[in-house]
Amino acid sequence: GTGLVAADASCNGGNDGTLTSMDPASDWVAGRFLKALDFDGSDDRVIVANGSTLGPASFTIEAWVKPALVGGTERVIAAKVTGGSTGFRLLLRTDGTFQFELNLTSVASTTVAQAGQWYHVAGSYDGAKLRLYVNGVKEAEAAKTGAWANDKPLAIGCERQDSGLTILHFRGLIDEVRLSSKARGFSAAPTRAY
């Protein structure tokens, strides 16, 4: 990546993200596979405008992350929420575990993240269960039914509130973010770029 656009590399296209409060000269860095973005934990974020492919009934949200800081506050990897309750959040909790939340139901990892290490984190929803995977291992699941889609943008590196205010900014590297229109299972962490 280069410039102020995080390009959508999927076959759907059109879901490019806009870098906000970021310097493309210094925030595009070597990533897990190609280029990652370095988030400062203060106001850096990528915003992807809502689109028809960003609200599938079943889905997986996943990313490679390398936290620079663990603890202190929650740090959102990616979120698409409205009113704080409808939608999803994938985040790093204050205790260093990862969490996947959908419409206020959440599951947490047993893995405790360490600063400076890469992790593949994925949350999936199939209409009946939430599942959380870390480095290709299913670490948690919970029963959950119901619709989740909303008309809000997808925020990477923070949570964007209805007012447009962004909170819970991630500090560290985020690479290879993918929102898929199916609930994926993993037997190992991906070994290549998407």
Side-chain angles (χ1 to χ4, degrees):
T2 60
L4 291 172
V5 173
D8 179 359
S10 75
C11 59
N12 295 322
N15 293 316
D16 293 342
T18 302
L19 280 65
T20 306
S21 299
M22 301 185 82
D23 179 357
S26 60
D27 288 332
W28 282 109
V29 298
R32 178 71 174 98
F33 296 109
L34 301 171
K35 291 284 190 172
L37 283 168
D38 189 359
F39 293 81
D40 66 5
S42 175
D43 59 0
D44 289 359
R45 59 199 179 275
V46 174
I47 302 296
V48 181
N50 186 51
S52 62
T53 60
L54 295 181
S58 296
F59 73 97
T60 302
I61 180 71
E62 61 186 291
W64 279 97
V65 297
K66 185 179 183 181
L69 178 68
V70 176
T73 187
E74 291 181 335
R75 305 283 179 175
V76 172
I77 299 163
K80 191 174 188 311
V81 294
T82 181
S85 61
T86 302
F88 72 81
R89 298 188 321 156
L90 185 64
L91 59 101
L92 178 62
R93 299 181 347 165
T94 57
D95 64 2
T97 59
F98 295 101
Q99 177 177 306
F100 175 50
E101 178 182 305
L102 181 70
N103 295 354
L104 299 180
T105 298
S106 63
V107 290
S109 70
T110 55
T111 295
V112 177
Q114 302 297 312
Q117 293 187 24
W118 281 105
Y119 299 90
H120 180 261
V121 185
S124 71
Y125 176 62
D126 63 6
K129 288 188 177 182
L130 299 178
R131 293 179 180 88
L132 177 65
Y133 299 83
V134 178
N135 293 333
V137 176
K138 182 173 67 175
E139 295 199 356
E141 70 179 4
K144 180 67 177 175
T145 60
W148 73 272
N150 61 55
D151 63 355
K152 300 303 175 191
L154 170 64
I156 299 169
C158 71
E159 177 180 323
R160 184 177 181 274
Q161 297 183 321
D162 289 344
S163 65
L165 178 71
T166 57
I167 60 172
L168 306 175
H169 292 87
F170 189 82
R171 186 169 173 195
L173 307 184
I174 301 178
D175 195 7
E176 297 295 319
V177 177
R178 177 164 66 170
L179 177 61
S180 305
S181 60
K182 66 180 180 178
R184 295 181 181 278
F186 297 87
S187 58
T191 57
R192 60 181 173 80
Y194 303 130

